[in-house]
Amino acid sequence: MKVVLATLNAKFIHASLALRYLRSQVEADFPDTSLLEFTIHDVPMNIVSKIYQEKPDVIGFSCYIWNIEQTVPVLDMLRKVLPNAFIVLGGPEVSYDTRYWMERLPVVDCIAQGEGEATFYQILQSCSESKQQPRLADVRDVRGIYYRSMEGSIHSTFPSDKIAALDAIPSPYETHLEELRNRIVYFEASRGCPFRCQFCLSSIEEGVRYFSLDRIKRDLRRLIDFGVKQIKFVDRTFNINKEYAMEIFKFLIGYHKNTTFHFEITADIMRPEVLEFLAAEAPPDLFRFEIGVQSTNDLSNHAVKRHQNFEKLARTVSIIRDSKKIVQHLDLIAGLPHEDYHSFRKTFNDVFALQPDELQLGFLKMLRGTGMRHQAKQYGYQYMEHAPYEILGNDVLSYSDMIRLKRLEDILEKFWNDHKMDHTVTYLVDQIYSSPFDFFQAFGDFWEANGWQRLGHQYEDLFSRLLEFLKHAKQLADAESNRAEENLVNLNLSVVSGLMQLDYVMHANHRPRHIPWEPMTSRQEQYQRASHVSKQLQNMKDERIGDPSLYATEHVLKHAWVGLLPFDVKQWLEHKRIVLISNQQHFVVLYPFDKQGQKIWTVVF
């Protein structure tokens, strides 16, 4: 019997964990099982063609919020070209409101609810035992499914039990490792979540179950030895069990090779001894922590049954940040109950002040099966009828507010999370605008008003558009000086341009030919600057520079950027202070002669 397991990933680089669990569960008894991964951007006809060529008897699709609507047309075509195949769906998106999906998708024969390993195996047994075509298999005795009878009526069976001993599930990473080359690998150390956040599907399942540490270490060692570059743990709260988490942290610190690891943690329950250990022992950038803050509004958190001590969370984030060892990604959700636009402004500023490496602004989604969806009318929610079920507004947050927050999110991604303009944005949010929220929001509104959201952009365009926005903002502030922010009225655009140059040249991997938004420097002036800098470098005693003789004028012209900035660069880089200067201070960035070298900056008078 030919079995095809398929899904549509968000990106090619993602490797489906669910399909690999299912294959490892069934392939011993059903060896003719193929795993086919596509993306949501693939043409449906091409997906159908690939599956059709396998001539499957059973087709299993893993369905999620991000792929269900793209999967539907694929299913419709598959039924037409493979009329006798048994089509079964599984995954979180179809595990709730399952009758709705059976009614909406008459081409589907069966939907497995919840954990699928044992259920899918039993379905294949029923199909293999059928004396007729697989589609006519009798699956009435399989627990935890909805199925369609021969007459077309929809039935459900008694729910299946949760798998008590997770080690009983065959490892998905014992074979087929070649599929994982140059891809992100998803990894599971536990199932379940102890918390009851009403917007999250994990709140539905009670209790937390763990794979044994021996199993975890064995699988991790195998993946690391193979050369996997990134492993993402999908545990909803990785650090809920301190001893268990510490054992895995210690193992990975001692046996990571060239692999990095991503964890979702709950920061306000992180124990001090764990933080101290990570600060002392973790190599830089080995670990990446995703921390869901969501909101700092206590009333909102209470409404969604989310218990959070923001003071403890902030302390954890600060300790991790100051250690400079672990990348932190903090999450916010706009649209929670009782959180209006002004309250969310406070939430955003509270969390931005923690200086995370990345701050992601998401929007509440009414996931099927969650308590939040059941309470939608209570809070006046309007939301998309189909996945991703994102809200359009509620009783305190209008659709107009949502649109504005979308603009802010876009600017946040382009100008902060990308970290290509940190010096400039830090100056603007700390010293010019009343708050980070106000800067990102005002810039987002300006971006929209100019129609830039409909246009593509090059990296250099980000600088010129920011400068255009600030010129406009200053003009408005000058015209309304009695109502405008004082710092914006006094904004020195030459300082901003200097900081932008700093970002541009420090981010570049080789010497830029010119600064795109500044007038071109003549060849003669470039040569004069290079000659002056060359003489100064050869008289400097700086171990970072190495052999001064390497920096003849011609070498400086080729491998160094020399700029005249209106402020003391050292004061800014070391203390984040803008100190204007009148004398000629050359800011010099020395680019490496080869790929192994490092950029070096210095100041020459």
Side-chain angles (χ1 to χ4, degrees), residues 232-282:
K232 282 193 172 185
F233 283 73
V234 297
D235 307 65
R236 305 314 299 169
T237 307
F238 180 79
N239 61 312
I240 190 65
N241 184 323
K242 186 199 79 171
E243 289 75 18
Y244 188 83
M246 274 289 283
E247 188 67 25
I248 294 176
F249 285 146
K250 289 178 180 178
F251 171 76
L252 295 177
I253 288 172
Y255 197 85
H256 59 84
K257 296 186 178 179
N258 295 316
T259 307
T260 60
F261 305 90
H262 177 112
F263 304 91
E264 293 185 29
I265 70 161
T266 300
D268 59 341
I269 65 169
M270 188 69 107
R271 303 282 299 189
E273 57 268 33
V274 177
L275 293 172
E276 292 171 6
F277 170 78
L278 293 173
E281 303 296 334

Side-chain angles (χ1 to χ4, degrees), residues 444-501:
D445 291 342
F446 186 78
W447 190 283
E448 171 83 12
N450 281 273
W452 291 336
Q453 78 282 3
R454 297 188 298 272
L455 303 175
H457 63 268
Q458 300 294 326
Y459 169 53
E460 291 79 4
D461 295 331
L462 297 177
F463 292 89
S464 58
R465 291 177 183 180
L466 174 58
L467 196 58
E468 185 173 340
F469 159 66
L470 292 172
K471 289 177 179 177
H472 172 79
K474 180 169 172 53
Q475 287 174 353
L476 286 180
D478 290 343
E480 303 175 356
S481 57
N482 59 321
R483 290 182 296 166
E485 298 185 54
E486 181 180 352
N487 290 340
L488 196 54
V489 172
N490 297 323
L491 175 64
N492 187 330
L493 290 173
S494 66
V495 169
V496 174
S497 179
L499 288 166
M500 287 168 54
Q501 290 182 54

Side-chain angles (χ1 to χ4, degrees), residues 45-63:
M45 182 66 79
N46 294 344
I47 298 173
V48 172
S49 173
K50 182 66 175 177
I51 295 174
Y52 176 80
Q53 292 173 45
E54 298 286 326
K55 296 295 188 288
D57 299 297
V58 179
I59 308 170
F61 267 91
S62 187
C63 302

Side-chain angles (χ1 to χ4, degrees), residues 162-205:
K162 291 190 295 186
I163 301 171
L166 293 182
D167 279 11
I169 305 170
S171 169
Y173 297 126
E174 286 187 356
T175 57
H176 307 289
L177 294 182
E178 68 282 353
E179 300 170 348
L180 304 176
R181 197 175 302 281
N182 299 319
R183 302 181 75 183
I184 296 173
V185 172
Y186 293 89
F187 194 92
E188 191 175 47
S190 64
R191 291 186 178 180
C193 181
F195 302 113
R196 294 289 172 265
C197 306
Q198 294 298 287
F199 50 79
C200 179
L201 283 174
S202 298
S203 65
I204 299 170
E205 179 181 348

Side-chain angles (χ1 to χ4, degrees), residues 42 130 379 505:
D42 288 337
S130 175
Y379 298 107
V505 299

Side-chain angles (χ1 to χ4, degrees), residues 528-563 586-591 593 599-605:
Q528 290 174 346
R529 289 186 187 179
S531 177
H532 174 74
V533 167
S534 174
K535 293 175 184 177
Q536 296 298 316
L537 288 176
Q538 293 183 48
N539 291 325
M540 290 179 68
K541 295 181 179 180
D542 190 334
E543 293 181 356
R544 299 176 306 153
I545 295 175
D547 184 358
S549 65
L550 292 175
Y551 293 101
T553 301
E554 290 73 17
H555 285 100
V556 172
L557 279 170
K558 186 175 181 181
H559 295 290
W561 180 84
V562 181
H586 294 79
F587 178 65
V588 183
V589 178
L590 306 172
Y591 293 90
F593 299 136
K599 288 194 290 286
I600 300 168
W601 68 267
T602 189
V603 173
V604 172
F605 290 95

Side-chain angles (χ1 to χ4, degrees), residues 352 356 411-419 422 425-426 440:
F352 194 91
I411 298 300
L412 182 69
E413 285 297 316
K414 287 183 172 72
F415 287 85
W416 181 255
N417 289 340
D418 214 17
H419 290 292
D422 284 354
V425 174
T426 296
F440 289 113

